[in-house]
Amino acid sequence: QLSDQQKMSESPLSWFRGVYLPAALHPLNKTLVKGDKWRDVDSTQEKRRSFLQDFCKKYNSRKKLRTHLMHLVSRIYVEDRHKVLYCEVPKAGCSNWKRVLMVLNGLAASAHNISHDDVHYGKHLRKLDSYDLKGIYTRLNTYTKAIFVRDPVERLVSAFRDKFEHPNSYYHPVFGKAIIKKYRHNANEEALKTGSGVRFKEFIQYLLDSQRPVGMDIHWEQVSKLCYPCLINYDFIGKFETLEEDANYFLQLVGAPAELKFPKFKDRHSSDERTSAEVVRQYLKELSKEERQLTYDFYYLDYLMFNYTPP
């Protein structure tokens, strides 16, 4: 019941103990779900929720909180009509999720007519950090909060293929040039000038380097640092591996129009084979045993939190 002024004058840690974080996970409101066909998806969902809750109690990362509130919620998209918060995890279906949010918000009639550029550069959706403190607290405590995740190394390989194996006017000059310059001995002038042709092994050397020549990027940042799953109690945990059924069940939960279904199409490079466990295996062959272990260690928390099997 603190006034906003009192909250502001106290240390951020005390807000988190009080207003900001519900102590226990809310039960999901399932009153809008129709039919028995969702029973298995619902049962899986409850297991994921309690698994993450138990993990967070054991890991107890609240003690380690040193992150500003606005940073904590900076990746969360808001859809006010259906009271949805969605934390964006790149390479885990996020483009199609943003399309769905635009349809829910009345900004588009169909998810199929929205271009990639419109999704990512159109600025149609608001993020949670654009609201004032009261607006953030209210939404965190009353909206349905969703996160969709993916096997961490599979997500990493998918990001590498997307950003470095296709022409890209941002990732090649910004990341590619720096990576080739630092990790490729005897690099030719063309590679140094364009930043194109980064090899997976070089990319992993950059990822694991504590003195990286360029910073991190959301496409390969750990989910634990993008969405803070032990600080924000997500009501719904979807997985890329069961994306369609998870997403369509979630749309039922929030009362989306019956005709709205999660899109099946691949957002870009649609002729490419999807990044699967078999594709990942081929890329991992390029690494030494030690590099493979260190890559797993880098995503260790994500593997644990979301109960993924180590590769």
Side-chain angles (χ1 to χ4, degrees):
Q1 302 299 305
L2 295 174
S3 73
D4 280 351
Q5 202 167 0
Q6 280 173 296
K7 279 178 216 155
M8 292 298 281
S9 66
E10 290 187 12
S11 75
L13 277 171
S14 61
W15 314 337
F16 287 105
R17 272 188 230 108
V19 191
Y20 173 54
L21 283 169
L25 204 54
H26 297 304
L28 272 175
N29 178 358
K30 299 168 189 173
T31 51
L32 297 169
V33 177
K34 295 173 181 68
D36 287 340
K37 70 172 188 171
W38 302 108
R39 196 178 292 156
D40 289 349
V41 187
D42 176 63
S43 161
T44 301
Q45 188 53 227
E46 291 301 344
K47 283 177 192 150
R48 285 178 193 163
R49 278 157 50 92
S50 61
F51 184 91
L52 180 60
Q53 185 86 340
D54 291 347
F55 168 81
C56 291
K57 275 181 196 149
K58 276 186 213 140
Y59 178 67
N60 201 6
S61 66
R62 285 162 199 247
K63 287 177 184 167
K64 300 176 186 173
L65 177 65
R66 293 286 178 276
T67 308
H68 191 276
L69 170 68
M70 291 305 181
H71 181 71
L72 271 188
V73 300
S74 64
R75 305 248 38 100
I76 297 180
Y77 284 89
V78 179
E79 199 286 288
D80 281 316
R81 280 185 177 186
H82 297 80
K83 294 186 161 48
V84 170
L85 296 181
Y86 162 71
C87 188
E88 177 190 27
V89 176
K91 309 313 297 174
C94 72
S95 300
N96 280 339
W97 258 118
K98 287 196 246 181
R99 288 184 172 93
V100 166
L101 292 178
M102 285 170 71
V103 174
L104 286 174
N105 216 0
L107 298 167
S110 161
H112 293 267
N113 306 335
I114 309 169
S115 72
H116 177 87
D117 284 359
D118 220 18
V119 166
H120 291 286
Y121 311 114
K123 306 266 189 271
H124 300 293
L125 297 165
R126 275 187 82 173
K127 285 187 179 172
L128 193 51
D129 61 359
S130 69
Y131 293 83
D132 62 11
L133 265 183
K134 188 181 173 196
I136 293 173
Y137 291 141
T138 304
R139 285 168 178 80
L140 278 171
N141 285 301
T142 58
Y143 283 22
T144 307
K145 302 178 289 297
I147 181 172
F148 276 71
V149 298
R150 184 177 187 175
D151 175 282
V153 171
E154 196 175 292
R155 183 177 153 246
L156 175 73
V157 171
S158 175
F160 171 78
R161 294 175 76 202
D162 180 26
K163 303 305 176 195
F164 295 102
E165 291 185 352
H166 294 273
N168 193 298
S169 60
Y170 172 70
Y171 285 91
H172 292 201
V174 174
F175 286 86
K177 278 161 83 166
I179 289 171
I180 289 169
K181 186 179 177 187
K182 181 160 186 183
Y183 307 107
R184 187 179 299 177
H185 305 299
N186 310 318
N188 66 38
E189 216 172 296
E190 177 70 9
L192 289 167
K193 196 172 85 181
T194 64
S196 297
V198 169
R199 297 166 192 142
F200 186 62
K201 190 180 178 75
E202 294 165 340
F203 174 61
I204 294 301
Q205 286 173 303
Y206 143 78
L207 183 81
L208 301 174
D209 188 349
S210 60
Q211 306 290 306
R212 285 186 203 107
V214 267
M216 271 304 276
D217 182 85
I218 58 168
H219 290 84
W220 45 87
E221 180 67 277
Q222 300 104 319
V223 177
S224 52
K225 290 185 181 172
L226 288 172
C227 296
Y228 299 94
C230 281
L231 294 170
I232 295 169
N233 282 326
Y234 288 96
D235 303 294
F236 193 93
I237 301 153
K239 290 195 170 182
F240 186 80
E241 294 75 9
T242 49
L243 178 59
E244 225 176 293
E245 58 184 4
D246 288 350
N248 288 324
Y249 177 53
F250 180 77
L251 290 173
Q252 286 262 317
L253 283 171
V254 298
E259 66 278 7
L260 178 61
K261 299 284 182 281
F262 192 79
K264 292 181 184 179
F265 60 84
K266 194 170 186 278
D267 191 50
R268 291 204 301 174
H269 317 310
S270 51
S271 59
D272 285 7
E273 183 188 351
R274 273 196 188 273
T275 303
S276 61
E278 185 45 50
V279 169
V280 169
R281 208 168 288 126
Q282 298 309 314
Y283 280 83
L284 292 181
K285 281 180 185 171
E286 297 175 32
L287 307 181
S288 68
K289 194 173 178 183
E290 186 191 17
E291 285 168 330
R292 288 199 293 267
Q293 181 62 48
L294 289 169
T295 305
Y296 166 69
D297 294 345
F298 185 82
Y299 291 106
Y300 179 64
L301 265 189
D302 286 2
Y303 271 100
L304 286 186
M305 272 182 182
F306 301 108
N307 201 15
Y308 277 109
T309 309

